[in-house]
């Protein structure tokens, strides 16, 4: 008798478990499975599939032709060099900014973040304006008889990436420096280790794990970037460009080779991720500073020098933005700039590609709606409903961090190219790719705020008679809003600046601003390109200000 | 009148039994405390009652109605949390009104009841404040008002005072106790602080490893602990190893402790090693020259700490065992100095004798009848 009732109880217990949150989890799995796992799996299969049979032919081909494997080598060299230089710039800037009394910190900080958020190919493009074959600095020096090296080539990419991505290092290191308790450094000083030696022996080892995370971000970003090498590579190929060319070649595309290249890209990024995780796994220190380090007052001379250093770097990295904005207002005659200011470029943009502007903001806005909902619900599932299943979900959601945009674009096209689900060429596929690629930003900031919300707030509401679902929307959801929204705005900013997957997924009528900039640059319409890029910059700056206001002046977490 | 019945309830987390076959019956209007060290299952039991956990075995009854399947939001329970769990996005008033709104109480009624509840916790003047402008003690009062305003059938409190400073803790616990009696709300209170438990409770259940060790009134638990764990967890005590060679004579069982014979009335035939438990304040010290009988043990004061009201001594007995002894600091005259030699009376009438495992009380419990005549 008692056994029977017990069984009954168990089964009714099980039926209770099919609640809203499990529904959310299941839906998330279905959608991610369908729009991320399936397409990636598809290109994996594709890379081994030639003329209807299983083969390693594609991989063999890749490693036997210099044309292919040199692209991998180039990608690797560029990304590694860029990571190294980004560290060289980012760490000192972060140290100076967080430890010394530098003036205009807020402005410097904002400019550094702005640098990071603007699309790298705009940076590349403005360096061409400055240092290209016909660049104004090149010409300036040529006029006085000095031949300066051209920006085109590997070193140009390294230059652009280093200046574009050092903010990753800067942001991570600044965060880490704040968590080092003063007493650690004081202890070191009292043991007779001070100055540079203290930085080397105590501070640097303590922030090493964080630096490596920042370095990982720089490497990933440089390795996956598509626009910069396309503009200033000039004959020097890197993997994402190669994959793109194989996929959209006018001489007949080669999806199998494109898939193979995508798999190789994916393998490298994944390996690098595991390598980074491995080297920090033994060196992670959990610190919370009881007494965060105080800002040291420098002597006037030292202060001036430090300020000049920061100013120099920040200026150098923001120059591309400035150049683009200035260029957009310069009057032109055909492709030739004449020395007057006008709004011609903007008029032309509105005349030529108005839909690119509406497309960009429309798609990004549709994507942000989904990202807010997904961020709200999925972060709750991941944080509050911890299980093996939900941590798998968490991992799946974070996969796009290691998937280069080109790869995701190619995989989506291949997966949804024919009935029953034919999405290629529609705006829907663009929105899907944006949601998948940029959701991690929203997720991170949503989970971060959720960890700060007390679980018992919900229990209090439930015990007061409000059912669990209603409780969530009346308490936790409201409290999460600032975090979710600021994450979503960050997703939004990176969405409007997205090029690498858009360029594969777009089709005439669905072109966005970034794609238009790209094609304008290629047809030498620098004015319109600059105007479009300025519109993006303006949108980015406004978004940043909104985030800053939302987070109540706290640090922006990217 | 029986109000809450917890019958044979167990809760498992994986393989571990967080609550292990717990049986408790709580009367209407009773202030009942679950007391135990961290990890003993007291909070798990409370959360099971609240409906946040589903028990794996056993039944819960409120007013003889089985509530096993009643979801948390329909149990009509007021709960006060350790970390207050105030809704940070609402004012004090809105916090307290929250449960009434959920019950669709009319607006004018809400105003009356919220004001009344805030009066009780002396917070009426802060009703429009945001929680972030309140101190910890004030936040906990809001939480209390929020829990009682819904006229709950049962009030659950999960270590409500542990985040407050010592002085405020004492004041708050007196207030809680008074409010509970005035409103006649059956209350289950969880704490690991034995002093707090003794001060506020009608009855206490001492828990360890998911099992109830003893249920009783505060003085019963203190004076007649049912096992070695309870004796050591509530207050402090000295455990001395004793030996009974012949347990046939129940009325006058001789226990060999610290080299002397003490006699105690046993409740059963027992021979072998025993644990002799005597509280520090029950041990009597006297100057050696006054008394010296066969039941006198000599001891030497090793350490003396003057705590104001009492003085605590570490006394080394002749055998080398060191025991704690507490004495009132009545006058200069009775203070003892380190190095003094004293006569130690182990006061067998006040001792509790456990079997060697510490699980069973061997002495006849004569306090129990006395307990019955004491007022509640």
């Amino acid at each position: 008798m008692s056994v029977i009732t017990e069984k009954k109880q168990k089964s009714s217990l099980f039926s209770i478990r099919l609640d809203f949150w499990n529904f959310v989890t299941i839906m998330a799995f279905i959608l991610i499975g369908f729009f991320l796992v399936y397409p990636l799996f598809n290109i994996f299969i594709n890379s081994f599939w030639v003329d209807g049979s299983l083969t390693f032919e594609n991989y063999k081909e890749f490693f036997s032709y210099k044309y292919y494997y040199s692209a991998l080598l180039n990608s690797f060299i560029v990304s590694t060099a860029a990571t190294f230089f980004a560290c060289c710039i980012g760490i000192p800037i972060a140290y100076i900014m967080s430890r010394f009394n530098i003036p205009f910190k807020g402005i410097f900080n904002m400019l550094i973040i702005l640098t990071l958020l603007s699309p790298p190919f705009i940076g590349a493009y403005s360096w061409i304006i400055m240092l290209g074959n016909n660049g104004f600095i090149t010409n300036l020096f040529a006029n006085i008889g000095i031949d300066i090296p051209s920006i085109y080539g590997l070193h140009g990419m390294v230059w652009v990436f280093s200046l574009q991505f050092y903010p990753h290092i800067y942001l991570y290191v600044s965060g880490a420096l704040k968590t080092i308790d003063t007493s650690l450094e004081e202890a070191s000083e009292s043991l007779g280790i001070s100055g540079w030696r203290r930085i080397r022996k105590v501070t640097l080892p303590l922030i090493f794990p964080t630096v490596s995370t920042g370095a990982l971000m720089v490497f990933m970003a440089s390795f996956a970037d598509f626009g910069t090498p396309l503009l200033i590579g000039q004959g020097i190929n890197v993997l994402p460009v190669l994959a793109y060319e194989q996929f959209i070649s006018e001489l007949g595309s080669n999806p199998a080779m494109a898939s193979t290249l995508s798999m190789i890209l994916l393998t490298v990024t994944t390996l690098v991720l595991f390598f980074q995780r491995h080297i920090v796994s033994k060196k992670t220190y959990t610190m919370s500073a009881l007494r965060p380090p105080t800002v040291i007052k420098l002597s006037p001379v030292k202060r001036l020098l430090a300020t000049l250093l920061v100013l120099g770097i920040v200026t150098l990295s923001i120059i591309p933005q400035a150049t683009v904005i200035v260029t957009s207002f310069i009057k032109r005659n055909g492709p030739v700039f004449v020395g007057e200011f006008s709004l011609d470029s903007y008029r032309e943009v509105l005349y030529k590609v108005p839909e690119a502007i509406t497309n960009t903001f429309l798609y990004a806005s549709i994507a942000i709606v989904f990202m807010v909902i997904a961020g709200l619900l999925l972060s709750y599932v991941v944080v509050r409903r911890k299980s093996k299943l939900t941590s798998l979900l968490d991992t799946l959601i974070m996969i796009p961090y290691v998937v280069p945009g080109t790869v995701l674009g190619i995989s989506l096209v291949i997966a949804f190219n024919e009935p029953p689900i034919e999405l290629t060429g529609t705006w829907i596929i663009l929105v899907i790719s944006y949601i998948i690629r940029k959701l991690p930003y929203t997720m991170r900031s949503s989970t971060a705020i959720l960890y700060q919300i007390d679980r018992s707030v919900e229990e209090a509401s439930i015990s007061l008679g409000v059912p669990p679902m209603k409780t969530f929307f009346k308490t936790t959801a409201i409290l999460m809003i600032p975090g979710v929204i600021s994450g979503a705005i960050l997703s939004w900013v990176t969405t409007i600046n997205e090029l690498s997957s858009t360029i594969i997924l777009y089709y005439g009528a669905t072109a966005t601003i970034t794609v238009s900039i790209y094609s304008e640059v290629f047809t030498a319409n620098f004015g319109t390109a600059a105007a479009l890029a300025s519109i993006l910059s303006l949108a980015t700056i406004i978004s940043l200000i909104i985030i800053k206001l939302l987070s109540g002046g706290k640090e922006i977490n990217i | 009148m029986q109000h809450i019945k917890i019958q044979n309830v167990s809760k498992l987390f994986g393989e571990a039994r967080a609550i292990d076959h717990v049986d408790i019956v709580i009367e209407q209007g009773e202030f009942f405390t679950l007391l135990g060290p961290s990890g003993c299952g007291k909070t798990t039991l409370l959360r099971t009652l609240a409906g946040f956990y589903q028990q794996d075995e056993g039944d819960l009854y409120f007013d003889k109605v089985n509530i096993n399947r009643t979801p948390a939001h329909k149990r009509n329970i007021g709960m006060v949390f350790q970390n207050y769990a105030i809704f940070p996005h609402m004012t004090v008033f809105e916090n307290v009104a929250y449960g009434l709104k959920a019950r669709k109480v009319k607006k004018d009624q809400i105003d009356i009841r919220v004001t009344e509840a805030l009066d009780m916790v002396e917070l009426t003047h802060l009703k429009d404040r945001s929680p972030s402008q309140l101190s910890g003690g004030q936040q906990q009062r809001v939480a209390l008002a929020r829990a009682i305003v819904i006229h709950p059938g049962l009030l659950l409190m999960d270590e409500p005072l542990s985040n407050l400073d010592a002085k405020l803790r004492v004041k708050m616990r007196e207030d809680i106790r008074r409010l509970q009696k005035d409103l006649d709300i059956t209350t289950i209170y969880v704490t690991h602080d034995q002093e707090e438990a003794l001060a506020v409770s009608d009855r206490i259940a001492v828990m360890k490893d998911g099992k109830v060790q003893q249920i009783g009134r505060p003085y019963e638990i203190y004076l007649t602990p049912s096992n070695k764990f309870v004796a050591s967890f509530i207050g402090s005590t000295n455990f001395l190893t004793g030996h009974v060679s012949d347990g046939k004579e129940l009325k006058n069982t001789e226990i060999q402790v610290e080299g002397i014979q003490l006699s105690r009335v046993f409740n059963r035939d027992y021979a072998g090693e025993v644990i002799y438990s005597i509280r520090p304040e029950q041990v009597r010290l006297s100057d050696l020259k006054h008394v010296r009988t066969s039941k006198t043990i000599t001891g030497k004061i090793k350490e003396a700490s003057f705590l104001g009201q009492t003085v605590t001594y570490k006394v080394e007995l002749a055998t080398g065992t060191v025991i704690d002894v507490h004495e009132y600091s009545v006058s200069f005259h009775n203070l003892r100095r380190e190095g003094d030699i004293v006569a130690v009376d182990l006061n067998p009438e006040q001792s509790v004798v456990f079997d060697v495992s510490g699980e069973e009380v061997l002495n006849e419990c004569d306090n129990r009848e006395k307990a019955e005549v004491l007022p509640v």
Side-chain angles (χ1 to χ4, degrees), chain A residues 471-545:
Chain A
T471 286
F472 170 73
F473 287 109
K474 284 184 84 165
T475 58
T476 312
I478 295 174
L479 298 172
M480 281 174 75
I481 288 293
V484 178
I485 296 288
S486 63
I489 295 176
L490 207 57
S491 297
W492 194 81
V493 169
T494 51
T495 302
I496 58 174
N497 290 315
E498 213 274 358
L499 174 70
S500 56
S501 73
T502 312
I503 199 148
I504 286 172
L505 295 168
Y506 91 102
Y507 143 87
T510 62
T512 62
I513 293 180
T514 50
V515 170
S516 304
I517 296 173
Y518 167 77
S519 51
E520 293 297 297
V521 169
F522 260 64
T523 50
N525 288 317
F526 288 157
T528 37
L532 284 166
S534 305
I535 293 172
L536 276 187
S537 294
L538 184 69
T540 306
I541 293 170
I542 293 172
S543 311
L544 274 180
I545 292 170

Side-chain angles (χ1 to χ4, degrees), chain A residues 379 383 442-453 483 557:
Chain A
S379 60
V383 174
T442 312
M443 276 296 284
R444 267 184 45 167
S445 124
S446 308
T447 40
I449 198 162
L450 191 52
Y451 275 116
Q452 290 166 13
I453 300 172
N557 208 340

Side-chain angles (χ1 to χ4, degrees), chain A residues 5-6 8-17 453-479, chain B residues 47 50 52 54-59 68-69 72-74 76-79 81 83-90 95 98-104 146-147 149-150:
Chain A
T5 52
E6 209 166 81
K8 258 190 188 160
Q9 277 198 1
K10 283 244 168 80
S11 67
S12 59
L13 264 183
F14 186 75
S15 67
I16 283 178
R17 292 212 185 113
I453 300 172
D454 199 328
R455 208 177 256 264
S456 44
V457 165
E458 261 183 52
E459 291 171 351
S461 163
I462 291 172
S463 77
L464 289 168
V466 179
M469 253 346 282
K470 205 172 163 195
T471 286
F472 170 73
F473 287 109
K474 284 184 84 165
T475 58
T476 312
I478 295 174
L479 298 172
Chain B
R47 294 174 59 83
F52 299 137
Q54 178 69 45
Q55 71 269 29
D56 294 297
E57 277 171 29
D59 296 292
N68 288 2
R69 309 240 66 83
H73 63 278
K74 290 191 178 149
N76 195 31
I77 286 174
M79 186 147 177
F81 296 82
N83 41 17
Y84 323 137
I86 297 295
F87 305 127
H89 56 305
M90 299 178 191
N95 262 282
Y98 188 87
L100 295 176
K101 279 189 189 143
R103 284 166 172 69
K104 309 249 182 318
R146 188 178 65 179
V149 79
I150 59 170

